[in-house]
Amino acid sequence: MKMSFQTILQVDLSDLSPEERWRIEHARMHAKHRGHEAMHAEMVLILIATLVVAQLLLVQWKQRHPRSYNMVTLFQMWVVPLYFTVKLHWWRFLVIWVLFSTVTAFVTFRATRKPLVQTTPRLVYKWFLLIYKISYATGIVGYMAVMFTLFGINLLFRVKPEDAMDFGISLLFYGLYYGVLERDFAEMCADYMASTIGFYSASGMPTKHLSDSVCAVCGQQIFVDVNEEGIIENTYRLSCNHVFHEFCIRGWCIVGKKQTCPYCKEKVDLKRMFSNPWERPHVMYGQLLDWLRYLVAWQPVIIGLVQGINYTLGLE
């Protein structure tokens, strides 16, 4: 039975169930926008045009000025969710954000000091690798919770579908957001540390000659004599024959988002480095995070720009 627009507006929602309330609100929205098809089509065209133009501009910016692009993107990823957190009173997220920001600020401060303390590279890669693994595990658990809810498995544990879905989506968001954020901070710290050590330069030739006995990532001796103090570690030789601590080169490639040799910039074969099938999902997860950073950083800005254009043109 269809109701008129006036009847829909006069319905008292306080006495209705959540499902009935949703139906009435949905009907009100359709009634309100009935007859505005041309305006809606114009708004869709504005959205598509803005997305295309914004994507072209962002690609050109990234290619011509990668450093400023990465810094602005990192700042937006760090600040934009904070705005919505305070606005929507998501205090749990705010507490975690403050803890993460505090420790990351300390680690970043250590990574940008000159001269660089010998233990700093290991500290930086350990922290960001820890966050990377936690975000990976959190995202997997969140994804499984969402899928279990879709298949109704949550009912076996007497958990309401809306509660199970909220739990899964929250974990998925936490994992992906902090995974994206830590990789960008790690990339920035990796650039600073490698440039300070001197065996790496993002734009030119290294300032130091790399010896076969030195790791270009951390600047420490690869092999330790019996009478010397140091930690005996596994090593890894790239296809360019440069040797590194296995922990350092894995941190450089996976955490620091680098796919070239720290010294000669020859491309690293990640499939060869991570020959274990159980380790390859980490590579794919890192690629997923790189794709999501665009959605986290720039999508809210583009949507806000579209809304501003619609408001200026009088479209609602």
Side-chain angles (χ1 to χ4, degrees), residues 170-225:
S170 296
L171 288 184
L172 196 58
F173 171 76
Y174 278 102
L176 295 176
Y177 172 71
Y178 286 105
V180 171
L181 200 58
E182 63 84 18
R183 275 173 67 82
D184 273 24
F185 271 110
E187 181 183 22
M188 180 182 68
C189 291
D191 281 340
Y192 271 108
M193 291 188 302
S195 299
T196 302
I197 293 172
F199 297 115
Y200 170 82
S201 176
S203 57
M205 294 295 294
T207 58
K208 293 182 180 179
H209 174 71
L210 181 63
S211 170
D212 292 338
S213 61
V214 176
C215 174
V217 177
C218 66
Q220 303 302 307
Q221 293 289 327
I222 294 179
F223 303 105
V224 181
D225 294 336

Side-chain angles (χ1 to χ4, degrees), residues 199-257:
F199 297 115
Y200 170 82
S201 176
S203 57
M205 294 295 294
T207 58
K208 293 182 180 179
H209 174 71
L210 181 63
S211 170
D212 292 338
S213 61
V214 176
C215 174
V217 177
C218 66
Q220 303 302 307
Q221 293 289 327
I222 294 179
F223 303 105
V224 181
D225 294 336
V226 177
N227 299 325
E228 293 180 344
E229 294 184 359
I231 302 175
I232 301 177
E233 301 183 47
N234 294 331
T235 60
Y236 186 85
R237 183 183 295 274
L238 298 179
S239 57
C240 57
N241 288 326
H242 291 129
V243 183
F244 306 90
H245 293 129
E246 185 175 6
F247 177 86
C248 293
I249 194 62
R250 283 173 175 260
W252 173 265
C253 293
I254 294 300
V255 182
K257 297 199 302 183

Side-chain angles (χ1 to χ4, degrees), residues 98-153:
V98 170
L99 292 175
F100 170 84
S101 299
T102 301
V103 179
T104 300
F106 171 74
V107 172
T108 304
F109 175 81
R110 291 282 301 271
T112 55
R113 296 306 93 192
K114 294 182 180 182
L116 191 68
V117 180
Q118 292 183 355
T119 57
T120 297
R122 188 56 54 90
L123 169 68
V124 171
Y125 286 121
K126 279 186 176 181
W127 166 247
F128 287 118
L129 185 60
L130 173 64
I131 299 299
Y132 180 83
K133 289 182 177 180
I134 292 176
S135 72
Y136 180 75
T138 304
I140 291 296
V141 173
Y143 175 77
M144 292 176 62
V146 171
M147 296 305 297
F148 285 169
T149 304
L150 294 177
F151 286 105
I153 300 178

Side-chain angles (χ1 to χ4, degrees), residues 61-78:
W61 184 13
K62 184 177 181 180
Q63 292 178 349
R64 297 174 183 272
H65 307 284
R67 187 178 182 85
S68 63
Y69 171 84
N70 290 332
M71 291 298 294
V72 173
T73 302
L74 176 58
F75 179 77
Q76 287 193 182
M77 285 193 302
W78 189 45

